[in-house]
C-alpha cells in the first residue's frame, strides 16, 4: 500500500513537471536532457550510456541529477552494483520518447516547409489561362514534383488577383494584359507570352474566306461578342479606344462571362469575337480563326510578392525554365 501511495505521488509530480515544461519560464530542461535520460534508461549503466553518447560519465551524471532536480523526483535508484528506474522514471520514459519524436517531426515539417515541399500554393487565373497548354503543363509538372503541396486554382479578374496577392489570400496571379500591367512595388512580374490576335467566326462568315489580311476596320459593321468588362483584363477598353481612333465604334451585341460561353456564342453564328492567338488551337468544326492585324498585342503575365513563399518560388523556377527554353514565348 505504501509503494502505491509513493507511485501516485511520483506520477503527480511527473504531471506537474510535464506541465512545467510548457511554461515560459522553464528554460533549464533541454532535449539533450531527455536524450541522456533515455540512453541511461536503456543501458541501466552510466558508464555504458556515457560511452554510447560520446561523453564522459561525470557530466552525464550531473545532467541526470539536474533533470531530477528540475522534476523534483528521482528517476533512477542507484547503488554501487546496479541502476534501476524508479516508478517516476518508468512513467517518464515513454513521455520522453514521445517528446523527442514530436521534436523530430516538428523539425522535419520545418525543413519541408522551408524548402517548399509542403504547404499551399494558391493561383489566380484569368478565364482563358486554363486553356493555355504551356501553363497547365507547368502546373502538372509542379504537382508531380511537389505532391504534398495543396494547389488551389481560382478564376479571378485581374484586379482581384492583384488584391489577392497583396492580401496574401493567393500566392500567384496569371493574367492577360493588353497594356503595361501596373503592380505595387511589393510585387514582381514575369512576362510569359506576347502574341498577336485572331478573329473567330463561323466558317460560313464572309470574312472567313476573304482573300486578304484582316484589319481592325473589318469589324466595323460586325456584331461583336466580348468578355464582360470585369473579365476582359482591359481588352474592351483598349479595343474601344483604338476603334474610335479609326473613326468607328464597334457594334457589341453580346457579352460573355466565360470563355466557353464566348466561343459557344460565336460558334452559333451570333457574332464574331477577337481572341489571343494561342486560343486558336481549339478544333471546333464550325469555327474559323484568322489572324487580324491589331494596334496592340496580348500579353500573358505572372506576378507574385517579392518576398514569396518557398512553394511560390518553386513554381516560379519551373516557369523560368519554360521561359528560358522558349516554350512560353510567342511573337
Amino acid at each position: 500500500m505504501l509503494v502505491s501511495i509513493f507511485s501516485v505521488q511520483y506520477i503527480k509530480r511527473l504531471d506537474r513537471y510535464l506541465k512545467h515544461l510548457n511554461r515560459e519560464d522553464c528554460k533549464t530542461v533541454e532535449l539533450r536532457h531527455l536524450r541522456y535520460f533515455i540512453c541511461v534508461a536503456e543501458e541501466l549503466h552510466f558508464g555504458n550510456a556515457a560511452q554510447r553518447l560520446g561523453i564522459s560519465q561525470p557530466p552525464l551524471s550531473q545532467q541526470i541529477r539536474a533533470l531530477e532536480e528540475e522534476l523534483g523526483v528521482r528517476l533512477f535508484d542507484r547503488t554501487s552494483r546496479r541502476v534501476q528506474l524508479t516508478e517516476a522514471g518508468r512513467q517518464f520514459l515513454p513521455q520522453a520518447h514521445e517528446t523527442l519524436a514530436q521534436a523530430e517531426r516538428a523539425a522535419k515539417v520545418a525543413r519541408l516547409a522551408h524548402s517548399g515541399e509542403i504547404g499551399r500554393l494558391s493561383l489566380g487565373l484569368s478565364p482563358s489561362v486554363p486553356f493555355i497548354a504551356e501553363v497547365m503543363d507547368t502546373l502538372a509538372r509542379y504537382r508531380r514534383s511537389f505532391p504534398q503541396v495543396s494547389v488551389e486554382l481560382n478564376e479571378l479578374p485581374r484586379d482581384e488577383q492583384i488584391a489577392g496577392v497583396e492580401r496574401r489570400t493567393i500566392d500567384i496571379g496569371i493574367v492577360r494584359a493588353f497594356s503595361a500591367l501596373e503592380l505595387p512595388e511589393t510585387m514582381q512580374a514575369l512576362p510569359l507570352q506576347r502574341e498577336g490576335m485572331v478573329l473567330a467566326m463561323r466558317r460560313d462568315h464572309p470574312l472567313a474566306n476573304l482573300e486578304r489580311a484582316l484589319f481592325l476596320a473589318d469589324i466595323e459593321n460586325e456584331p461583336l461578342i466580348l468578355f464582360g468588362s470585369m473579365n476582359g483584363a482591359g481588352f474592351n477598353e483598349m479595343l474601344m479606344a483604338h476603334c474610335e481612333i479609326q473613326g468607328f465604334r464597334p457594334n457589341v451585341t453580346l457579352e460573355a462571362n466565360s470563355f466557353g460561353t464566348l466561343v459557344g456564342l460565336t460558334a452559333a453564328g451570333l457574332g464574331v469575337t477577337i481572341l489571343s492567338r494561342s486560343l486558336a488551337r481549339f478544333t471546333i468544326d464550325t469555327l474559323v480563326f484568322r489572324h487580324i492585324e491589331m494596334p496592340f498585342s496580348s500579353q500573358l503575365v505572372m506576378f507574385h510578392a517579392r518576398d514569396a513563399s518557398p512553394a511560390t518560388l518553386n513554381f516560379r523556377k519551373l516557369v523560368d525554365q519554360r521561359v528560358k527554353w522558349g516554350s512560353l514565348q510567342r511573337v
Side-chain angles (χ1 to χ4, degrees), residues 73-87:
V73 299
R74 284 186 301 108
L75 297 172
F76 296 99
D77 282 329
R78 308 169 180 81
T79 68
S80 58
R81 295 183 178 181
R82 63 188 178 88
V83 175
Q84 284 188 326
L85 284 167
T86 63
E87 180 63 20

Side-chain angles (χ1 to χ4, degrees), residues 30-266:
E30 302 174 12
L31 291 177
R32 62 189 175 89
H33 292 140
L34 301 182
R35 294 191 181 96
Y36 292 166
F37 163 74
I38 290 172
C39 190
V40 175
E42 290 173 348
E43 296 290 340
L44 293 178
H45 190 285
F46 275 82
N48 293 345
Q51 185 175 6
R52 180 173 147 190
L53 290 167
I55 61 176
S56 59
Q57 183 172 335
L60 176 60
S61 299
Q62 293 172 5
Q63 293 294 330
I64 295 299
R65 275 196 294 271
L67 179 61
E68 289 176 322
E69 289 175 3
E70 184 67 26
L71 173 59
V73 299
R74 284 186 301 108
L75 297 172
F76 296 99
D77 282 329
R78 308 169 180 81
T79 68
S80 58
R81 295 183 178 181
R82 63 188 178 88
V83 175
Q84 284 188 326
L85 284 167
T86 63
E87 180 63 20
R90 282 190 288 273
Q91 295 291 334
F92 186 62
L93 182 58
Q95 300 294 329
H97 275 295
E98 178 58 28
T99 299
L100 286 182
Q102 178 58 41
E104 291 172 3
R105 288 193 294 270
K108 181 179 179 181
V109 167
R111 287 191 293 269
L112 291 173
H114 179 72
S115 62
E117 295 177 68
I118 61 172
R120 183 202 74 152
L121 180 70
S122 180
L123 292 92
L125 307 174
S126 291
S128 65
V129 172
F131 298 94
I132 299 172
E134 292 87 354
V135 174
M136 293 299 104
D137 288 347
T138 302
L139 183 58
R141 186 180 173 199
Y142 178 84
R143 296 199 69 169
R144 289 193 300 270
S145 301
F146 303 98
Q148 295 187 69
V149 176
S150 173
V151 178
E152 301 174 2
L153 302 180
N154 308 275
E155 186 176 297
L156 296 170
R158 176 189 58 190
D159 292 346
E160 288 188 28
Q161 290 190 47
I162 295 173
V165 171
E166 195 164 30
R167 294 193 303 263
R168 304 297 178 127
T169 56
I170 63 173
D171 301 298
I172 292 173
I174 303 180
V175 299
R176 283 281 177 195
F178 300 92
S179 59
L181 185 62
E182 295 183 5
L183 295 172
E185 292 183 358
T186 56
M187 295 183 196
Q188 183 175 4
L190 174 67
L192 302 180
Q193 277 185 349
R194 181 184 292 273
E195 57 184 343
M197 314 290 287
V198 295
L199 185 69
M201 69 208 92
R202 278 184 63 89
R203 287 187 177 276
D204 54 4
H205 193 283
L207 294 177
N209 299 304
L210 192 64
E211 294 182 355
R212 63 167 175 80
L214 298 181
F215 298 90
L216 185 58
D218 289 317
I219 70 167
E220 179 176 357
N221 298 312
E222 298 295 334
L224 188 61
I225 307 171
L226 297 178
F227 269 126
S229 296
M230 288 298 293
N231 297 319
F235 172 78
N236 295 3
E237 295 78 4
M238 182 70 72
L239 177 67
M240 296 297 176
H242 283 281
C243 287
E244 288 181 1
I245 290 173
Q246 296 195 24
F248 73 95
R249 187 168 183 82
N251 178 27
V252 180
T253 56
L254 292 169
E255 288 193 351
N257 291 320
S258 71
F259 177 73
T261 302
L262 184 70
V263 172
L265 293 173
T266 306

